[in-house]
Amino acid sequence: MANYFSSNFILGILGGGQLGKMMLYETRKFDIATHVLDPSPEAPCRIGCDYFEQGDLMDFDTVYNFGKKVDVLTFEIEGVNIEALEKLEAEGKKVYPSSRTLRNIQDKGVQKQFYKTHGIPTSPFFIFQNKNELNEAIVRKELHYPFVWKSCTGGYDGKGVNIIRDAGDINPLPDESCIAEKFIPIKNELAVIVARNPSGDVKTYPVVEMEFHPEANQVEYVICPARIDATVALKARTIATKVSEAFEHVGLLAIELFQTLEDEILVNEVAPRPHNSGHYSIEASYTNQFEQQIRAILDLPLGNTDSKVGGIMVNLVGAEGHTGEVVYQQIEEIMAMDGVTPHIYGKKQTRPFRKMGHVTIVNKDISEARKIAEKVKKTIKVISKQNNNYANT
Ligand code: ADP
C-alpha cells in the first residue's frame, strides 16, 4: 500500500476552482502533497496547494506534462483534455475518475444512451445530429410537444436546456447535435452522491432535495435529508448505486434525479466529482464529500456517510446589476444566526449569478433549519464595491 501521508506522494488536480479548494482542506488535514493546474492566476486553489501551475486544461501537452509529474491524477471540472488522460492511463498513470467515465458523460447523447444500455431508468429521448433531423422527427410525428431540448455538448447549469412547447420555440435553437427528452412533470428534484473506490467498496450519501425558487427556476436550497418517504429515498439510493457500478466509477459520482408524480425515480444526469448538492456535508456529515473523494481515489477505507445533524445549503451568487470587486454585505448578521457557516470561495470579482460561495445551516430540526435558511437568503448580498452606494440607496 502506498504511503500518502507526510510522504513524497503527489496528488495532481486538474482545475483550481472552489471544488478543488475544498478538496485541499482535506489534503492539508491528511498532509498529502498536491499539484494544481488552472488557467487563472487567481484560482481559488492557489493558496492551498503545494505547487500551482497556470495552464490550459484543454491543451494536450499541458495536461499530459502536468500528469507526468504526479502519482495520481484527478480533476474537479469535466472540461479537460481527455486524450491526454487516455495517454497517461495507457502509460500506467492512475487517473481517477477515469477517462472512460468522462467519455461516457461529456456528451449528453452518449450519457443518455449509456443509461438505456444499462437498464437505468431515465426519461425517454431521441438523439439528433442537427436541427434538420429534429424537424424531420416532428414532421413524421415521432416527436411531440412539449419536449425538453438539450445541447449534447454545450450545456452547463441550465444553459443549453430549453422547454419546447410549439414550433415557435424551435426557431431560436442553435443548429447542433442535441437530445429531445420527454417533458417530465416533476414532484421533486433529488440528488444522491455515491463514493466508490478501486477495490469496489461503495457508499451512498443520504438523498438531498433541491428546492427551486417558484419563479426564477434556480435552485434555492439543498436540503439534507430530503423531505420524502423512506421508500422513495431507498429507491433513489439503490438506483444511484447501480449507476456508479455501471460506470465502474472510481471517486464520487453525484447523481441528479427526478421524482415523478407517480414516485418513479429517473436519472437526469451525473457529475463525476464533488458536487454542489454535497456541500452541506462539510458541516453536517461524519465524512464530508471532499474527504470522501480523497479516500475513494486513493483506495483508502470509505468514511461514514451518515449525517450528524440536518443541513441546508444556500448558494451565494453575485447579485444582478453588480460587476466588479466583491463585497459580502451583511455577512456578520448571518454569522450571528444559529448554526450558520459561510464559505467564501476567494473569487475577487463578482458578476451577476457567478457562484461566489455558499452558506450551510445546520440544525437538528430540519424545518427550523429551513426557516433560518430563508433568513440567510434574505440577509446576505453579494455585491460589488463600485456599486456600494447605489445598492444602499
Ligand atoms: P444542466 O446540465 O444545464 O444542469 P439539466 O439536464 O440538469 O441541465 O436540466 C436543467 C433543469 O431543467 C433540470 O434541473 C430540470 O428542472 C429541468 N429539466 C431537465 N430535463 C427535464 C425533463 N425531461 N422534464 C422536465 N424538466 C426537465
Side-chain angles (χ1 to χ4, degrees), residues 172-208:
L173 295 177
D175 183 13
E176 58 188 49
S177 63
C178 63
I179 54 175
E181 277 183 36
K182 184 171 176 195
F183 177 83
I184 307 291
I186 298 167
K187 193 192 275 184
N188 281 307
E189 297 208 26
L190 308 171
V192 175
I193 292 177
V194 182
R196 190 170 173 280
N197 66 18
S199 303
D201 301 331
V202 180
K203 284 199 174 167
T204 61
Y205 278 86
V207 184
V208 302

PDB file of all heavy atoms in Angstrom, residues 172-208:
ATOM      1  N   PRO A 172     -35.349  29.684 -32.471  1.00  0.00           N
ATOM      2  CA  PRO A 172     -34.115  30.238 -31.885  1.00  0.00           C
ATOM      3  C   PRO A 172     -33.048  29.199 -31.532  1.00  0.00           C
ATOM      4  O   PRO A 172     -31.929  29.574 -31.171  1.00  0.00           O
ATOM      5  CB  PRO A 172     -34.598  30.927 -30.585  1.00  0.00           C
ATOM      6  CG  PRO A 172     -36.076  30.754 -30.511  1.00  0.00           C
ATOM      7  CD  PRO A 172     -36.492  29.771 -31.552  1.00  0.00           C
ATOM      8  N   LEU A 173     -33.365  27.896 -31.636  1.00  0.00           N
ATOM      9  CA  LEU A 173     -32.386  26.885 -31.208  1.00  0.00           C
ATOM     10  C   LEU A 173     -31.181  26.857 -32.139  1.00  0.00           C
ATOM     11  O   LEU A 173     -31.339  26.980 -33.354  1.00  0.00           O
ATOM     12  CB  LEU A 173     -33.028  25.492 -31.203  1.00  0.00           C
ATOM     13  CG  LEU A 173     -34.158  25.258 -30.198  1.00  0.00           C
ATOM     14  CD1 LEU A 173     -34.734  23.845 -30.390  1.00  0.00           C
ATOM     15  CD2 LEU A 173     -33.670  25.432 -28.767  1.00  0.00           C
ATOM     16  N   PRO A 174     -29.980  26.668 -31.602  1.00  0.00           N
ATOM     17  CA  PRO A 174     -28.808  26.550 -32.479  1.00  0.00           C
ATOM     18  C   PRO A 174     -28.840  25.240 -33.260  1.00  0.00           C
ATOM     19  O   PRO A 174     -29.462  24.271 -32.823  1.00  0.00           O
ATOM     20  CB  PRO A 174     -27.623  26.569 -31.502  1.00  0.00           C
ATOM     21  CG  PRO A 174     -28.175  26.174 -30.190  1.00  0.00           C
ATOM     22  CD  PRO A 174     -29.626  26.562 -30.179  1.00  0.00           C
ATOM     23  N   ASP A 175     -28.175  25.245 -34.411  1.00  0.00           N
ATOM     24  CA  ASP A 175     -28.112  24.047 -35.251  1.00  0.00           C
ATOM     25  C   ASP A 175     -26.926  23.204 -34.795  1.00  0.00           C
ATOM     26  O   ASP A 175     -25.797  23.404 -35.243  1.00  0.00           O
ATOM     27  CB  ASP A 175     -27.952  24.477 -36.718  1.00  0.00           C
ATOM     28  CG  ASP A 175     -27.959  23.284 -37.652  1.00  0.00           C
ATOM     29  OD1 ASP A 175     -28.337  22.176 -37.199  1.00  0.00           O
ATOM     30  OD2 ASP A 175     -27.580  23.453 -38.819  1.00  0.00           O
ATOM     31  N   GLU A 176     -27.181  22.280 -33.883  1.00  0.00           N
ATOM     32  CA  GLU A 176     -26.089  21.443 -33.370  1.00  0.00           C
ATOM     33  C   GLU A 176     -26.656  20.123 -32.865  1.00  0.00           C
ATOM     34  O   GLU A 176     -27.877  19.956 -32.786  1.00  0.00           O
ATOM     35  CB  GLU A 176     -25.348  22.177 -32.239  1.00  0.00           C
ATOM     36  CG  GLU A 176     -26.236  22.565 -31.072  1.00  0.00           C
ATOM     37  CD  GLU A 176     -25.530  23.457 -30.055  1.00  0.00           C
ATOM     38  OE1 GLU A 176     -24.911  24.455 -30.453  1.00  0.00           O
ATOM     39  OE2 GLU A 176     -25.607  23.129 -28.858  1.00  0.00           O
ATOM     40  N   SER A 177     -25.771  19.190 -32.511  1.00  0.00           N
ATOM     41  CA  SER A 177     -26.245  17.893 -32.027  1.00  0.00           C
ATOM     42  C   SER A 177     -26.963  18.107 -30.691  1.00  0.00           C
ATOM     43  O   SER A 177     -26.546  18.919 -29.867  1.00  0.00           O
ATOM     44  CB  SER A 177     -25.088  16.908 -31.891  1.00  0.00           C
ATOM     45  OG  SER A 177     -24.171  17.355 -30.937  1.00  0.00           O
ATOM     46  N   CYS A 178     -28.068  17.375 -30.526  1.00  0.00           N
ATOM     47  CA  CYS A 178     -28.924  17.635 -29.364  1.00  0.00           C
ATOM     48  C   CYS A 178     -29.699  16.385 -28.990  1.00  0.00           C
ATOM     49  O   CYS A 178     -29.734  15.419 -29.749  1.00  0.00           O
ATOM     50  CB  CYS A 178     -29.898  18.762 -29.691  1.00  0.00           C
ATOM     51  SG  CYS A 178     -31.029  18.343 -31.034  1.00  0.00           S
ATOM     52  N   ILE A 179     -30.289  16.421 -27.799  1.00  0.00           N
ATOM     53  CA  ILE A 179     -31.261  15.396 -27.453  1.00  0.00           C
ATOM     54  C   ILE A 179     -32.609  16.070 -27.241  1.00  0.00           C
ATOM     55  O   ILE A 179     -32.670  17.255 -26.886  1.00  0.00           O
ATOM     56  CB  ILE A 179     -30.864  14.565 -26.205  1.00  0.00           C
ATOM     57  CG1 ILE A 179     -30.576  15.450 -25.000  1.00  0.00           C
ATOM     58  CG2 ILE A 179     -29.692  13.680 -26.493  1.00  0.00           C
ATOM     59  CD1 ILE A 179     -30.290  14.673 -23.729  1.00  0.00           C
ATOM     60  N   ALA A 180     -33.674  15.328 -27.496  1.00  0.00           N
ATOM     61  CA  ALA A 180     -35.034  15.797 -27.198  1.00  0.00           C
ATOM     62  C   ALA A 180     -35.615  14.792 -26.226  1.00  0.00           C
ATOM     63  O   ALA A 180     -35.746  13.610 -26.542  1.00  0.00           O
ATOM     64  CB  ALA A 180     -35.853  15.862 -28.472  1.00  0.00           C
ATOM     65  N   GLU A 181     -35.883  15.262 -25.005  1.00  0.00           N
ATOM     66  CA  GLU A 181     -36.380  14.373 -23.948  1.00  0.00           C
ATOM     67  C   GLU A 181     -37.857  14.599 -23.723  1.00  0.00           C
ATOM     68  O   GLU A 181     -38.335  15.734 -23.831  1.00  0.00           O
ATOM     69  CB  GLU A 181     -35.715  14.732 -22.616  1.00  0.00           C
ATOM     70  CG  GLU A 181     -34.373  14.144 -22.393  1.00  0.00           C
ATOM     71  CD  GLU A 181     -33.861  14.525 -21.013  1.00  0.00           C
ATOM     72  OE1 GLU A 181     -34.642  14.624 -20.039  1.00  0.00           O
ATOM     73  OE2 GLU A 181     -32.646  14.759 -20.926  1.00  0.00           O
ATOM     74  N   LYS A 182     -38.536  13.564 -23.320  1.00  0.00           N
ATOM     75  CA  LYS A 182     -39.930  13.714 -22.904  1.00  0.00           C
ATOM     76  C   LYS A 182     -39.967  14.685 -21.727  1.00  0.00           C
ATOM     77  O   LYS A 182     -39.128  14.610 -20.818  1.00  0.00           O
ATOM     78  CB  LYS A 182     -40.460  12.346 -22.478  1.00  0.00           C
ATOM     79  CG  LYS A 182     -41.919  12.387 -22.125  1.00  0.00           C
ATOM     80  CD  LYS A 182     -42.457  10.986 -21.912  1.00  0.00           C
ATOM     81  CE  LYS A 182     -43.898  11.121 -21.459  1.00  0.00           C
ATOM     82  NZ  LYS A 182     -44.401   9.894 -20.888  1.00  0.00           N
ATOM     83  N   PHE A 183     -40.920  15.614 -21.748  1.00  0.00           N
ATOM     84  CA  PHE A 183     -41.087  16.544 -20.638  1.00  0.00           C
ATOM     85  C   PHE A 183     -41.712  15.783 -19.454  1.00  0.00           C
ATOM     86  O   PHE A 183     -42.768  15.190 -19.586  1.00  0.00           O
ATOM     87  CB  PHE A 183     -41.982  17.722 -21.047  1.00  0.00           C
ATOM     88  CG  PHE A 183     -42.236  18.669 -19.916  1.00  0.00           C
ATOM     89  CD1 PHE A 183     -41.312  19.649 -19.598  1.00  0.00           C
ATOM     90  CD2 PHE A 183     -43.393  18.563 -19.148  1.00  0.00           C
ATOM     91  CE1 PHE A 183     -41.532  20.510 -18.533  1.00  0.00           C
ATOM     92  CE2 PHE A 183     -43.618  19.424 -18.089  1.00  0.00           C
ATOM     93  CZ  PHE A 183     -42.687  20.398 -17.782  1.00  0.00           C
ATOM     94  N   ILE A 184     -41.027  15.787 -18.320  1.00  0.00           N
ATOM     95  CA  ILE A 184     -41.486  15.036 -17.146  1.00  0.00           C
ATOM     96  C   ILE A 184     -42.076  15.991 -16.109  1.00  0.00           C
ATOM     97  O   ILE A 184     -41.354  16.876 -15.622  1.00  0.00           O
ATOM     98  CB  ILE A 184     -40.285  14.280 -16.491  1.00  0.00           C
ATOM     99  CG1 ILE A 184     -39.540  13.413 -17.510  1.00  0.00           C
ATOM    100  CG2 ILE A 184     -40.745  13.461 -15.278  1.00  0.00           C
ATOM    101  CD1 ILE A 184     -40.290  12.226 -18.017  1.00  0.00           C
ATOM    102  N   PRO A 185     -43.341  15.852 -15.744  1.00  0.00           N
ATOM    103  CA  PRO A 185     -43.838  16.620 -14.600  1.00  0.00           C
ATOM    104  C   PRO A 185     -43.142  16.108 -13.326  1.00  0.00           C
ATOM    105  O   PRO A 185     -43.186  14.919 -13.031  1.00  0.00           O
ATOM    106  CB  PRO A 185     -45.338  16.303 -14.589  1.00  0.00           C
ATOM    107  CG  PRO A 185     -45.641  15.733 -15.934  1.00  0.00           C
ATOM    108  CD  PRO A 185     -44.391  15.034 -16.370  1.00  0.00           C
ATOM    109  N   ILE A 186     -42.437  17.015 -12.649  1.00  0.00           N
ATOM    110  CA  ILE A 186     -41.543  16.602 -11.558  1.00  0.00           C
ATOM    111  C   ILE A 186     -42.133  16.979 -10.200  1.00  0.00           C
ATOM    112  O   ILE A 186     -42.516  18.119  -9.985  1.00  0.00           O
ATOM    113  CB  ILE A 186     -40.163  17.294 -11.730  1.00  0.00           C
ATOM    114  CG1 ILE A 186     -39.504  16.860 -13.051  1.00  0.00           C
ATOM    115  CG2 ILE A 186     -39.242  16.974 -10.556  1.00  0.00           C
ATOM    116  CD1 ILE A 186     -38.312  17.716 -13.453  1.00  0.00           C
ATOM    117  N   LYS A 187     -42.177  16.003  -9.278  1.00  0.00           N
ATOM    118  CA  LYS A 187     -42.617  16.288  -7.906  1.00  0.00           C
ATOM    119  C   LYS A 187     -41.450  16.879  -7.111  1.00  0.00           C
ATOM    120  O   LYS A 187     -41.604  17.870  -6.422  1.00  0.00           O
ATOM    121  CB  LYS A 187     -43.115  14.994  -7.255  1.00  0.00           C
ATOM    122  CG  LYS A 187     -43.886  15.227  -5.953  1.00  0.00           C
ATOM    123  CD  LYS A 187     -44.116  13.934  -5.173  1.00  0.00           C
ATOM    124  CE  LYS A 187     -45.342  13.171  -5.642  1.00  0.00           C
ATOM    125  NZ  LYS A 187     -45.600  11.972  -4.800  1.00  0.00           N
ATOM    126  N   ASN A 188     -40.294  16.248  -7.229  1.00  0.00           N
ATOM    127  CA  ASN A 188     -39.096  16.734  -6.531  1.00  0.00           C
ATOM    128  C   ASN A 188     -37.858  16.482  -7.368  1.00  0.00           C
ATOM    129  O   ASN A 188     -37.774  15.456  -8.045  1.00  0.00           O
ATOM    130  CB  ASN A 188     -38.892  15.967  -5.213  1.00  0.00           C
ATOM    131  CG  ASN A 188     -39.777  16.451  -4.103  1.00  0.00           C
ATOM    132  OD1 ASN A 188     -39.807  17.644  -3.785  1.00  0.00           O
ATOM    133  ND2 ASN A 188     -40.509  15.533  -3.494  1.00  0.00           N
ATOM    134  N   GLU A 189     -36.889  17.403  -7.284  1.00  0.00           N
ATOM    135  CA  GLU A 189     -35.566  17.139  -7.858  1.00  0.00           C
ATOM    136  C   GLU A 189     -34.664  16.718  -6.708  1.00  0.00           C
ATOM    137  O   GLU A 189     -34.552  17.434  -5.701  1.00  0.00           O
ATOM    138  CB  GLU A 189     -35.024  18.385  -8.571  1.00  0.00           C
ATOM    139  CG  GLU A 189     -35.922  18.754  -9.754  1.00  0.00           C
ATOM    140  CD  GLU A 189     -35.208  19.467 -10.882  1.00  0.00           C
ATOM    141  OE1 GLU A 189     -33.983  19.292 -11.060  1.00  0.00           O
ATOM    142  OE2 GLU A 189     -35.899  20.206 -11.607  1.00  0.00           O
ATOM    143  N   LEU A 190     -34.060  15.548  -6.853  1.00  0.00           N
ATOM    144  CA  LEU A 190     -33.267  14.944  -5.779  1.00  0.00           C
ATOM    145  C   LEU A 190     -31.850  14.689  -6.277  1.00  0.00           C
ATOM    146  O   LEU A 190     -31.594  14.713  -7.486  1.00  0.00           O
ATOM    147  CB  LEU A 190     -33.896  13.609  -5.365  1.00  0.00           C
ATOM    148  CG  LEU A 190     -35.392  13.631  -5.012  1.00  0.00           C
ATOM    149  CD1 LEU A 190     -35.916  12.200  -4.829  1.00  0.00           C
ATOM    150  CD2 LEU A 190     -35.650  14.457  -3.755  1.00  0.00           C
ATOM    151  N   ALA A 191     -30.941  14.445  -5.349  1.00  0.00           N
ATOM    152  CA  ALA A 191     -29.590  14.032  -5.750  1.00  0.00           C
ATOM    153  C   ALA A 191     -29.023  13.073  -4.713  1.00  0.00           C
ATOM    154  O   ALA A 191     -29.347  13.161  -3.527  1.00  0.00           O
ATOM    155  CB  ALA A 191     -28.675  15.250  -5.897  1.00  0.00           C
ATOM    156  N   VAL A 192     -28.201  12.157  -5.213  1.00  0.00           N
ATOM    157  CA  VAL A 192     -27.503  11.215  -4.333  1.00  0.00           C
ATOM    158  C   VAL A 192     -26.040  11.191  -4.752  1.00  0.00           C
ATOM    159  O   VAL A 192     -25.734  11.072  -5.942  1.00  0.00           O
ATOM    160  CB  VAL A 192     -28.086   9.784  -4.446  1.00  0.00           C
ATOM    161  CG1 VAL A 192     -27.259   8.802  -3.617  1.00  0.00           C
ATOM    162  CG2 VAL A 192     -29.542   9.754  -4.007  1.00  0.00           C
ATOM    163  N   ILE A 193     -25.142  11.302  -3.782  1.00  0.00           N
ATOM    164  CA  ILE A 193     -23.710  11.179  -4.075  1.00  0.00           C
ATOM    165  C   ILE A 193     -23.261   9.781  -3.674  1.00  0.00           C
ATOM    166  O   ILE A 193     -23.540   9.326  -2.561  1.00  0.00           O
ATOM    167  CB  ILE A 193     -22.909  12.271  -3.329  1.00  0.00           C
ATOM    168  CG1 ILE A 193     -23.268  13.638  -3.926  1.00  0.00           C
ATOM    169  CG2 ILE A 193     -21.409  12.010  -3.424  1.00  0.00           C
ATOM    170  CD1 ILE A 193     -22.612  14.810  -3.237  1.00  0.00           C
ATOM    171  N   VAL A 194     -22.596   9.116  -4.623  1.00  0.00           N
ATOM    172  CA  VAL A 194     -22.092   7.761  -4.381  1.00  0.00           C
ATOM    173  C   VAL A 194     -20.570   7.804  -4.408  1.00  0.00           C
ATOM    174  O   VAL A 194     -19.984   8.402  -5.313  1.00  0.00           O
ATOM    175  CB  VAL A 194     -22.591   6.779  -5.466  1.00  0.00           C
ATOM    176  CG1 VAL A 194     -22.117   5.368  -5.177  1.00  0.00           C
ATOM    177  CG2 VAL A 194     -24.105   6.826  -5.579  1.00  0.00           C
ATOM    178  N   ALA A 195     -19.951   7.168  -3.413  1.00  0.00           N
ATOM    179  CA  ALA A 195     -18.488   7.049  -3.395  1.00  0.00           C
ATOM    180  C   ALA A 195     -18.128   5.600  -3.693  1.00  0.00           C
ATOM    181  O   ALA A 195     -18.765   4.676  -3.178  1.00  0.00           O
ATOM    182  CB  ALA A 195     -17.946   7.444  -2.036  1.00  0.00           C
ATOM    183  N   ARG A 196     -17.125   5.410  -4.565  1.00  0.00           N
ATOM    184  CA  ARG A 196     -16.676   4.050  -4.889  1.00  0.00           C
ATOM    185  C   ARG A 196     -15.157   4.087  -5.034  1.00  0.00           C
ATOM    186  O   ARG A 196     -14.618   5.007  -5.663  1.00  0.00           O
ATOM    187  CB  ARG A 196     -17.335   3.602  -6.201  1.00  0.00           C
ATOM    188  CG  ARG A 196     -17.160   2.141  -6.529  1.00  0.00           C
ATOM    189  CD  ARG A 196     -18.043   1.742  -7.716  1.00  0.00           C
ATOM    190  NE  ARG A 196     -17.751   0.376  -8.118  1.00  0.00           N
ATOM    191  CZ  ARG A 196     -16.715   0.026  -8.879  1.00  0.00           C
ATOM    192  NH1 ARG A 196     -15.886   0.925  -9.337  1.00  0.00           N
ATOM    193  NH2 ARG A 196     -16.530  -1.246  -9.181  1.00  0.00           N
ATOM    194  N   ASN A 197     -14.475   3.122  -4.430  1.00  0.00           N
ATOM    195  CA  ASN A 197     -13.008   3.104  -4.550  1.00  0.00           C
ATOM    196  C   ASN A 197     -12.573   1.995  -5.508  1.00  0.00           C
ATOM    197  O   ASN A 197     -13.407   1.191  -5.931  1.00  0.00           O
ATOM    198  CB  ASN A 197     -12.350   3.024  -3.161  1.00  0.00           C
ATOM    199  CG  ASN A 197     -12.629   1.715  -2.434  1.00  0.00           C
ATOM    200  OD1 ASN A 197     -13.027   0.725  -3.055  1.00  0.00           O
ATOM    201  ND2 ASN A 197     -12.424   1.706  -1.131  1.00  0.00           N
ATOM    202  N   PRO A 198     -11.278   1.962  -5.889  1.00  0.00           N
ATOM    203  CA  PRO A 198     -10.847   0.953  -6.879  1.00  0.00           C
ATOM    204  C   PRO A 198     -11.082  -0.481  -6.410  1.00  0.00           C
ATOM    205  O   PRO A 198     -11.231  -1.378  -7.239  1.00  0.00           O
ATOM    206  CB  PRO A 198      -9.341   1.241  -7.034  1.00  0.00           C
ATOM    207  CG  PRO A 198      -9.185   2.675  -6.646  1.00  0.00           C
ATOM    208  CD  PRO A 198     -10.197   2.920  -5.562  1.00  0.00           C
ATOM    209  N   SER A 199     -11.160  -0.710  -5.106  1.00  0.00           N
ATOM    210  CA  SER A 199     -11.459  -2.065  -4.617  1.00  0.00           C
ATOM    211  C   SER A 199     -12.923  -2.419  -4.780  1.00  0.00           C
ATOM    212  O   SER A 199     -13.327  -3.554  -4.523  1.00  0.00           O
ATOM    213  CB  SER A 199     -11.097  -2.182  -3.130  1.00  0.00           C
ATOM    214  OG  SER A 199      -9.749  -1.863  -2.926  1.00  0.00           O
ATOM    215  N   GLY A 200     -13.759  -1.434  -5.166  1.00  0.00           N
ATOM    216  CA  GLY A 200     -15.175  -1.709  -5.406  1.00  0.00           C
ATOM    217  C   GLY A 200     -16.069  -1.472  -4.199  1.00  0.00           C
ATOM    218  O   GLY A 200     -17.261  -1.769  -4.242  1.00  0.00           O
ATOM    219  N   ASP A 201     -15.513  -0.964  -3.083  1.00  0.00           N
ATOM    220  CA  ASP A 201     -16.375  -0.605  -1.941  1.00  0.00           C
ATOM    221  C   ASP A 201     -17.238   0.583  -2.342  1.00  0.00           C
ATOM    222  O   ASP A 201     -16.739   1.529  -2.968  1.00  0.00           O
ATOM    223  CB  ASP A 201     -15.546  -0.187  -0.714  1.00  0.00           C
ATOM    224  CG  ASP A 201     -14.612  -1.289  -0.264  1.00  0.00           C
ATOM    225  OD1 ASP A 201     -14.951  -2.464  -0.483  1.00  0.00           O
ATOM    226  OD2 ASP A 201     -13.549  -0.969   0.306  1.00  0.00           O
ATOM    227  N   VAL A 202     -18.514   0.537  -1.956  1.00  0.00           N
ATOM    228  CA  VAL A 202     -19.459   1.587  -2.357  1.00  0.00           C
ATOM    229  C   VAL A 202     -20.210   2.113  -1.147  1.00  0.00           C
ATOM    230  O   VAL A 202     -20.639   1.327  -0.292  1.00  0.00           O
ATOM    231  CB  VAL A 202     -20.498   1.034  -3.366  1.00  0.00           C
ATOM    232  CG1 VAL A 202     -21.486   2.116  -3.784  1.00  0.00           C
ATOM    233  CG2 VAL A 202     -19.817   0.473  -4.600  1.00  0.00           C
ATOM    234  N   LYS A 203     -20.355   3.430  -1.059  1.00  0.00           N
ATOM    235  CA  LYS A 203     -21.219   4.027  -0.033  1.00  0.00           C
ATOM    236  C   LYS A 203     -22.022   5.160  -0.648  1.00  0.00           C
ATOM    237  O   LYS A 203     -21.499   5.931  -1.446  1.00  0.00           O
ATOM    238  CB  LYS A 203     -20.380   4.579   1.125  1.00  0.00           C
ATOM    239  CG  LYS A 203     -19.877   3.480   2.026  1.00  0.00           C
ATOM    240  CD  LYS A 203     -19.445   3.976   3.379  1.00  0.00           C
ATOM    241  CE  LYS A 203     -19.105   2.755   4.218  1.00  0.00           C
ATOM    242  NZ  LYS A 203     -18.415   3.025   5.422  1.00  0.00           N
ATOM    243  N   THR A 204     -23.295   5.272  -0.230  1.00  0.00           N
ATOM    244  CA  THR A 204     -24.112   6.381  -0.723  1.00  0.00           C
ATOM    245  C   THR A 204     -24.393   7.358   0.408  1.00  0.00           C
ATOM    246  O   THR A 204     -24.568   6.958   1.556  1.00  0.00           O
ATOM    247  CB  THR A 204     -25.478   5.895  -1.266  1.00  0.00           C
ATOM    248  OG1 THR A 204     -26.204   5.269  -0.210  1.00  0.00           O
ATOM    249  CG2 THR A 204     -25.315   4.925  -2.407  1.00  0.00           C
ATOM    250  N   TYR A 205     -24.457   8.620   0.058  1.00  0.00           N
ATOM    251  CA  TYR A 205     -24.898   9.653   0.995  1.00  0.00           C
ATOM    252  C   TYR A 205     -26.424   9.668   1.028  1.00  0.00           C
ATOM    253  O   TYR A 205     -27.077   9.178   0.103  1.00  0.00           O
ATOM    254  CB  TYR A 205     -24.358  11.027   0.550  1.00  0.00           C
ATOM    255  CG  TYR A 205     -22.932  11.251   0.997  1.00  0.00           C
ATOM    256  CD1 TYR A 205     -21.864  10.793   0.234  1.00  0.00           C
ATOM    257  CD2 TYR A 205     -22.656  11.895   2.200  1.00  0.00           C
ATOM    258  CE1 TYR A 205     -20.559  10.969   0.654  1.00  0.00           C
ATOM    259  CE2 TYR A 205     -21.342  12.090   2.626  1.00  0.00           C
ATOM    260  CZ  TYR A 205     -20.306  11.625   1.858  1.00  0.00           C
ATOM    261  OH  TYR A 205     -19.005  11.792   2.277  1.00  0.00           O
ATOM    262  N   PRO A 206     -27.006  10.243   2.092  1.00  0.00           N
ATOM    263  CA  PRO A 206     -28.464  10.370   2.127  1.00  0.00           C
ATOM    264  C   PRO A 206     -28.971  11.185   0.932  1.00  0.00           C
ATOM    265  O   PRO A 206     -28.224  11.976   0.346  1.00  0.00           O
ATOM    266  CB  PRO A 206     -28.727  11.139   3.425  1.00  0.00           C
ATOM    267  CG  PRO A 206     -27.482  11.001   4.240  1.00  0.00           C
ATOM    268  CD  PRO A 206     -26.357  10.828   3.271  1.00  0.00           C
ATOM    269  N   VAL A 207     -30.242  11.002   0.593  1.00  0.00           N
ATOM    270  CA  VAL A 207     -30.840  11.735  -0.528  1.00  0.00           C
ATOM    271  C   VAL A 207     -31.022  13.198  -0.125  1.00  0.00           C
ATOM    272  O   VAL A 207     -31.507  13.495   0.962  1.00  0.00           O
ATOM    273  CB  VAL A 207     -32.215  11.137  -0.885  1.00  0.00           C
ATOM    274  CG1 VAL A 207     -32.797  11.839  -2.114  1.00  0.00           C
ATOM    275  CG2 VAL A 207     -32.108   9.641  -1.120  1.00  0.00           C
ATOM    276  N   VAL A 208     -30.621  14.100  -1.023  1.00  0.00           N
ATOM    277  CA  VAL A 208     -30.880  15.529  -0.791  1.00  0.00           C
ATOM    278  C   VAL A 208     -31.955  16.003  -1.754  1.00  0.00           C
ATOM    279  O   VAL A 208     -32.181  15.401  -2.810  1.00  0.00           O
ATOM    280  CB  VAL A 208     -29.621  16.417  -0.949  1.00  0.00           C
ATOM    281  CG1 VAL A 208     -28.516  15.974  -0.009  1.00  0.00           C
ATOM    282  CG2 VAL A 208     -29.138  16.458  -2.384  1.00  0.00           C
TER     283      VAL A 208
END
